[in-house]
Amino acid sequence: MTDTTDLADLKKRAEAAGLTRLTEEHLKQLQRATQGMQRHKENLRVELEVSDEPAHVFSLVEKG
Amino acid sequence: MTDFAFMTIAEVSALIRDRKISPVEYTEALIARADKFDPKLNAYLRMTPDIAMAEARAAEEEIGKGNWRGLMHGVPYGLKDIIDRDGLPTTGHSKILVDNMATGDAPVAAKLRAAGGVLMGKMSTHEFAIGGPSFDLPWPPARNPWNRNHHPGGSSSGSGSALGAGFMPAALGSDTGGSVRNPASSCGIVGLKPTYGRTSRRGVLPLSFSLDHVGPMTRTVEDNAILLNVIAGFDPEDPGSAAVDAPDFTADLDKGVEGLKIGVIRHFYTRDQKADPEMAKSIEDALTVLQGLGAEVRELEIDPLEVYAGCNRTVLLGEAYAIHEKWLQERPEDYGDKCRERFLTGTFITAADYVNATRRRRILTNRFHAAIADLDVAVTVSSMEPACEIDDDAEIERSYGRQARAPFNLTGSPAISVPTGFASNGLPLAMQIVGKPFEEAMVYRVARAYEKATDWTNRQPDLEAGCRPPQKSD
């Protein structure tokens, strides 16, 4: 995982994503937010088989 | 007769239909109540007294001629300010949309208009339905009617606050990670997140396309079913709308719970997270009530809360970032701090992250549906603790993820928050009842049985006592 603690590096990544107007305070928010999201991703520990498909169109209606 | 401010839709509708009260006088009285107390609660983002009085007068005239349209005719309601009403701004409680004018009614708003409802105004919300109570926006945040120094929950904060305060008997909210059920839990009212696709999302500012739900918010279970009857229905122009018939959601309300099977997802609030002891006890007491009424209660074990939370956040923030990417690039400074930080969380979610979250979503959903296949409903906590103080940012952030609502946005299941009592600090407690897809009627049936056996929905806040002098955050 890319280290998100370096604000200068984060700034470069954000700018590459089109976020060129973030202030230093915004970058700190992005830093906290990204760290928080990483924790959420680590919680996604449901193992996937190759054939497990996404919910392409999330619907609870019977099809066919 | 119930204090006018806390009359239910069912009560006031009959009185209006039978011409025992005037919708004009009732609306005037509610407007006066809001004029007096809302400056301390900020439940309204925008009151619409001219529209309200015009619609109340039209209702009175029409009913006087014998043309009663149904249970919402002449009844006041509010719309969360992410829901379009033609000719009014839909701001999302944000500087970014401060001048955004709706050019048509959202279908849910059109249905309320067609039902003869009386629009009281647009209700405060967390910025773009995600931000949190914020003091850096063009309008102040809504406050809790039980104690204005506390958070009313969100993001449908104004709707919850207004109902709890007796400003109206009905309101609409939206729920993407819990935003109807959270204010319902925090304000001591009833809020339903319907099955995904049960209500149209068109004309509603999107937060996350596959997780957004529009839901009814009321003070009683019966009222909630009445309101869902009005707003439910297939919308062919909403890609997520379910082409299923909407039944009369009030039909099974009083069938009781004798013989019903209830699964309690206790691990959500005793192991995965630890609920406040008063909150946990109120749920156990509620289960005891339901058992006393003849229901069978059994333990239900499903995936851990943090797995659902991780999946919900990845899907939600991936979709939300896509929606807000352009504004975040062009004008990030125009968001409030809380909202901006939430949306920035989606910046580095990769395509693989998102796709894999949707793959896991299907697995989690299938597992949940299998787990409740031989049950009628599941019960669990909504919030882990009562609402915190509104200007305690650290506690707001800490408690933001302490909830068990998001799993049912992922699974699309109907889920309702109903009051279960009050904490020692006077703030409401609540539980969540979850059903199978499109079985809102069963959810209502269980909720109603519990409600009738207790009196929590008859309690009312003392707004004179709760409206303390302005605090530093004002």
Side-chain angles (χ1 to χ4, degrees):
Chain A
M1 182 195 73
T2 302
D3 182 5
T4 56
T5 58
D6 184 317
L7 278 184
D9 176 63
L10 198 65
K11 186 171 191 291
K12 285 183 192 163
R13 293 179 65 207
E15 288 175 351
L19 297 174
T20 56
R21 292 175 56 93
L22 298 184
T23 64
E24 185 164 336
E25 185 53 39
H26 300 167
L27 285 169
K28 288 178 184 170
Q29 290 182 329
L30 176 59
Q31 185 181 56
R32 283 195 298 269
T34 304
Q35 288 166 347
M37 192 63 231
Q38 184 57 35
R39 286 192 289 275
H40 281 305
K41 286 196 258 182
E42 287 163 2
N43 282 333
L44 286 174
R45 51 185 184 271
V46 174
E47 293 302 317
L48 294 171
E49 301 289 335
V50 168
S51 59
D52 284 326
E53 294 197 13
H56 287 290
V57 176
F58 187 68
S59 171
L60 294 167
V61 177
E62 290 290 332
K63 290 184 166 52
Chain B
M1 186 188 293
T2 309
D3 176 358
F4 81 93
F6 293 96
M7 284 199 291
T8 64
I9 298 172
E11 286 172 327
V12 75
S13 181
L15 292 169
I16 289 173
R17 179 199 63 211
D18 297 341
R19 300 169 71 186
K20 290 180 178 167
I21 68 167
S22 157
V24 174
E25 291 172 10
Y26 176 53
T27 299
E28 273 177 339
L30 289 178
I31 291 172
R33 182 176 175 82
D35 282 343
K36 180 177 179 184
F37 291 114
D38 197 50
K40 295 290 194 316
L41 292 178
N42 308 315
Y44 280 100
L45 185 146
R46 189 184 313 277
M47 287 183 73
T48 54
D50 292 344
I51 293 174
M53 293 309 299
E55 292 186 336
R57 280 191 284 270
E60 185 168 68
E61 184 178 340
E62 197 173 344
I63 293 168
K65 292 176 181 172
N67 299 329
W68 184 67
R69 298 190 192 186
L71 289 169
M72 279 300 294
H73 200 176
V75 177
Y77 68 94
L79 294 175
K80 182 178 184 177
D81 199 26
I82 64 168
I83 300 172
D84 279 349
R85 163 74 185 227
D86 191 20
L88 290 176
T90 301
T91 68
H93 211 123
S94 180
K95 181 179 178 183
I96 293 187
L97 290 182
V98 70
D99 296 318
N100 177 50
M101 193 65 74
T103 56
D105 284 352
V108 290
K111 289 182 178 196
L112 278 164
R113 200 201 285 245
V118 172
L119 178 68
M120 297 289 280
K122 304 303 280 308
M123 312 312 294
S124 295
T125 165
H126 291 172
E127 189 179 10
F128 287 117
I130 193 172
S134 302
F135 295 93
D136 57 351
L137 302 177
W139 305 271
R143 292 172 177 268
N144 196 308
W146 295 90
N147 183 331
R148 70 180 296 277
N149 293 329
H150 284 248
H151 188 354
S155 62
S156 309
S157 47
S159 299
S161 178
L163 284 159
F167 293 167
M168 59 192 60
L172 295 189
S174 72
D175 194 312
T176 303
S179 293
V180 160
R181 293 160 288 159
N182 185 0
S185 300
S186 298
C187 295
I189 61 154
V190 177
L192 176 84
K193 183 199 74 63
T195 307
Y196 182 80
R198 177 65 93 183
T199 53
S200 173
R201 298 165 306 129
R202 187 161 53 97
V204 180
L205 292 175
L207 173 58
S208 170
F209 302 112
S210 72
L211 294 168
D212 286 344
H213 305 61
V214 173
M217 300 173 73
T218 55
R219 284 191 290 274
T220 69
V221 175
E222 180 183 23
D223 280 3
N224 207 276
I226 289 170
L227 191 51
L228 186 63
N229 271 350
V230 174
I231 65 171
F234 176 53
D235 176 7
E237 293 182 67
D238 170 5
S241 187
V244 294
D245 292 333
D248 175 0
F249 296 106
T250 66
D252 294 346
L253 274 176
D254 292 316
K255 285 191 173 177
V257 295
E258 179 76 44
L260 294 187
K261 297 183 180 57
I262 297 174
V264 54
I265 312 171
R266 198 170 268 119
H267 64 85
F268 273 358
Y269 59 95
T270 60
R271 186 182 71 215
D272 302 347
Q273 291 181 11
K274 297 262 188 336
D276 170 270
E278 290 183 295
M279 186 70 80
K281 182 175 185 306
S282 80
I283 306 222
E284 299 305 322
D285 290 346
L287 291 167
T288 300
V289 169
L290 289 167
Q291 283 176 305
L293 293 171
E296 176 193 329
V297 176
R298 55 172 89 152
E299 201 81 13
L300 178 60
E301 181 88 21
I302 57 176
D303 286 278
L305 197 49
E306 60 268 23
V307 175
Y308 283 103
C311 195
N312 176 274
R313 288 288 112 179
T314 306
V315 172
L316 192 161
L317 291 162
E319 293 181 359
Y321 186 82
I323 292 164
H324 283 265
E325 184 183 37
K326 189 165 185 294
W327 285 328
L328 285 166
Q329 290 171 343
E330 294 176 356
R331 49 189 306 196
E333 65 277 9
D334 287 339
Y335 287 92
D337 272 346
K338 286 195 177 83
C339 182
R340 185 191 314 109
E341 183 160 338
R342 301 238 188 271
F343 284 145
L344 285 175
T345 312
T347 305
F348 301 126
I349 292 175
T350 66
D353 289 337
Y354 175 79
V355 170
N356 285 335
T358 68
R359 296 167 77 191
R360 290 183 171 95
R361 180 180 185 177
R362 181 175 288 284
I363 293 169
L364 292 171
T365 299
N366 289 346
R367 283 186 193 167
F368 178 66
H369 290 162
I372 63 168
D374 63 347
L375 298 170
D376 294 292
V377 296
V379 165
T380 191
V381 74
S382 171
S383 302
M384 295 294 166
E385 52 257 319
C388 64
E389 292 192 357
I390 196 169
D391 56 4
D392 186 345
D393 279 348
E395 184 58 18
I396 286 171
E397 193 55 35
R398 187 192 79 90
S399 59
Y400 185 73
R402 285 180 49 77
Q403 48 101 340
R405 294 176 284 266
F408 310 112
N409 293 81
L410 270 185
T411 63
S413 314
I416 197 168
S417 173
V418 291
T420 53
F422 292 85
S424 52
N425 65 2
L427 287 164
L429 304 168
M431 69 172 166
Q432 193 178 192
I433 302 168
V434 185
K436 297 173 183 174
F438 304 106
E439 293 194 9
E440 286 87 355
M442 179 59 74
V443 169
Y444 281 139
R445 179 175 161 183
V446 175
R448 166 83 159 172
Y450 173 73
E451 181 188 64
K452 283 169 68 175
T454 58
D455 74 341
W456 308 125
T457 52
N458 293 329
R459 304 280 184 94
Q460 296 145 17
D462 180 346
L463 296 190
E464 298 280 6
C467 291
R468 299 200 178 97
Q471 299 300 304
K472 62 178 170 67
S473 303
D474 288 315

